[in-house]
Amino acid sequence: MSKNSKKPIHEKMISQLELPKDLMLGAAIVTITGRKEVLVENYKGIIELEDSLVKIQTKNCRLQILGVHLTVEYYTNEEMKIVGLIDSVSYEY
């Protein structure tokens, strides 16, 4: 069985029609700039916020950011910017 045949039908249609996945599936867009900042788009909310940990709920998973002196520099309904010394970014399904 090919990898493509395991995708749900709506993902196959989006791929075939070349529609933007972030808009159609609500996928989070995570942009990491060096070790200093993470920009997260299409998030639902902040689950946990500490100096060394930020957990964010997205539509499909949780995003965990580990580091030192982490702070949310700004957030809007669509995006948030986390700054500090980033050690890792991981997904929890």
Side-chain angles (χ1 to χ4, degrees), residues 6-87:
K6 293 180 182 180
K7 285 184 180 179
I9 189 73
H10 65 280
E11 286 188 33
K12 289 179 188 178
M13 287 178 22
I14 290 167
S15 182
Q16 289 294 319
L17 295 172
E18 298 181 6
L19 298 171
K21 290 180 182 177
D22 61 319
L23 294 176
M24 302 308 295
L25 298 175
I29 299 172
V30 181
T31 306
I32 303 169
T33 306
R35 290 192 64 198
K36 302 270 182 179
E37 63 183 48
V38 177
L39 182 68
V40 181
E41 298 174 67
N42 298 337
Y43 73 97
K44 286 185 152 188
I46 299 171
I47 298 169
E48 194 171 341
L49 178 60
E50 297 178 14
D51 183 63
S52 61
L53 166 71
V54 179
K55 276 192 182 182
I56 301 166
Q57 182 66 51
T58 71
K59 182 177 180 181
N60 303 318
C61 65
R62 287 183 179 175
L63 185 64
Q64 178 175 281
I65 302 164
L66 296 173
V68 181
H69 304 298
L70 300 179
T71 59
V72 176
E73 187 169 281
Y74 73 86
Y75 65 96
T76 66
N77 289 337
E78 292 83 32
E79 67 182 23
M80 83 167 58
K81 183 177 182 181
I82 297 145
V83 296
L85 187 59
I86 310 297
D87 289 330

